Structures are given as structure tokens and as C-alpha cells.
Amino acid sequence: MTKYAIVKKHVDEMDYYSLLLNGAPDDEFDSESWEISGKISSDQTKEEIAGIIADVFNRTFSDKNALECFMDCAKKIYADLHC
């Protein structure tokens, strides 16, 4: 699985603001997934990955969530990058 596919899978599962659950198109988080996958690498920590996810989503949605809000997603991405 490509890095983008891994990120997209887990970002879609995270379903920020339940947008997909409420009828948003399947490509709702594609741009965020591309940006995140372009910024992460397998040598980064879970915390660093969570920070990147937080930066992308906070900027996109004008939020101020701490990286801890994205740790579950980051842990899953990290695990899949290290399979």
C-alpha cells in the first residue's frame, strides 16, 4: 500500500467533523491526505505525525486542536508505515 493510501485510509476513518458520515463525497479529505502523506516519513515518531495531521487540519478548518486529538489516527498511520 502506498503512503498516500495508508494516510487516506486512516484520515477517512477519522472522519473529521463526521463529514463523510453525513454525506460528504468520498474525496472530501483527499487534499489533506495528499498534503499529510507528502510531509510524513517512516522515520518520524507518532507524535510528529500527529503534529503534521494537526497542522493540516487546523489550517484547513481554522481550528486549534492539540496534536493529541490526532494521536489515534497518527498511531494507525505509524503502524501501517512500519509493517
Side-chain angles (χ1 to χ4, degrees):
M1 190 180 295
T2 66
K3 184 168 47 167
Y4 169 75
I6 290 168
V7 170
K8 174 149 176 62
K9 172 185 167 189
H10 295 298
V11 165
D12 284 356
E13 285 176 2
M14 181 178 65
D15 195 11
Y16 201 68
Y17 284 129
S18 300
L19 295 176
L20 297 173
L21 179 67
N22 289 305
D26 291 342
D27 65 352
E28 179 67 29
F29 301 116
D30 283 5
S31 63
E32 292 84 3
S33 296
W34 278 113
E35 185 176 351
I36 292 164
S37 67
K39 292 182 175 185
I40 64 171
S41 63
S42 59
D43 65 339
Q44 290 173 312
T45 67
K46 296 169 200 158
E47 292 78 11
E48 289 170 325
I49 294 171
I52 291 167
I53 298 168
D55 288 344
V56 170
F57 275 90
N58 284 338
R59 187 173 51 351
T60 301
F61 291 91
S62 299
D63 285 334
K64 294 183 181 183
N65 293 307
L67 69 89
E68 290 80 15
C69 297
F70 302 95
M71 278 303 295
D72 187 52
C73 183
K75 287 177 184 177
K76 292 174 183 177
I77 291 170
Y78 180 90
D80 280 357
L81 290 174
H82 292 89
C83 286

